[in-house]
Amino acid sequence: MGSTTKYPPIGDDGRYMTPTRILMHRCFNALLVWAIVCIVAAVAFTIAAYFQGQSYEDLELIASGGTVFNGTSVASLMRIEAGYCFVSGILFIAMHLLGFVWMYERGSEYPSLLAMGAACMLALVWIGYLVSLGTCDVIAVICLLVVAVTLVLRSRVKAEARDCDLTV
C-alpha cells in the first residue's frame, strides 16, 4: 500500500502553490481573458460606429450628421470607446505577462504596477468624461474592479511569501 498523503502542487518557481498563490495565478489568467474581451469590444465598437447615420464629405473623411447624445456624436463616442477598449486590452495583456514574471520569476513588481496605474487613470478619465455627458461606461468600471482585485490578491501573495517559507 502506498502513501495517500497529498502534497500541495509546486509552481513554476519551485515553491508550493498555496490557495492564495493559485488564486493569484487564476487572476492573472482572468486578466488575459478580460484583455481579449476588451479587444473584441474595440472591434465591435469600431464596426458599430459606422452605423450611426453619419455621412462623409468627399475624400476628406469629415463626418456630419448622425445620432447625437447630449450634443456629442454617438459615432465619435463609439470610436473613442473603441480606442479605450483597445488600449485597455493591451495594458491588461501587459499586466498578465508582467504579473507572471513577478510571481514566478521574481521579477520587479513595478512594471505591472505601472500598467495597472495607467489602466486606472485611463478608466477614471474616460468615466469622468462620460459622467459629464450624463452616462457611464460598464467596461471602464469593470476594468477598475479587475485591477482592484488584482492588487488585493497581490498584497496577499506578498504577505504570504513574507510570513511563510514556501520552498520545496
Side-chain angles (χ1 to χ4, degrees), residues 1 35 39 42 54 57 61 75 89 144 160 164:
M1 283 198 145
I39 291 174
Q54 287 186 329
E57 308 288 331
L61 293 178
L144 289 174
E160 184 178 67
C164 303

Side-chain angles (χ1 to χ4, degrees), residues 19-110:
T20 306
R21 285 173 47 93
I22 290 172
L23 194 59
M24 184 82 252
H25 183 100
R26 290 180 181 159
C27 180
F28 287 142
N29 287 338
L31 288 176
L32 182 62
V33 170
W34 182 246
I36 293 168
V37 168
C38 284
I39 291 174
V40 168
V43 172
F45 281 120
T46 301
I47 292 169
Y50 288 104
F51 297 107
Q52 297 303 313
Q54 287 186 329
S55 60
Y56 292 95
E57 308 288 331
D58 298 327
L59 296 174
E60 296 180 19
L61 293 178
I62 298 172
S64 61
T67 310
V68 176
F69 176 77
N70 283 345
T72 305
S73 167
V74 172
S76 295
L77 288 174
M78 286 185 165
R79 289 183 189 108
I80 296 169
E81 177 75 17
Y84 168 75
C85 287
F86 184 75
V87 171
S88 292
I90 298 300
L91 287 171
F92 276 94
I93 289 171
M95 285 182 243
H96 162 78
L97 295 173
L98 294 169
F100 277 125
V101 167
W102 166 76
M103 186 167 163
Y104 291 120
E105 298 175 14
R106 297 188 181 139
S108 175
E109 69 177 328
Y110 296 111

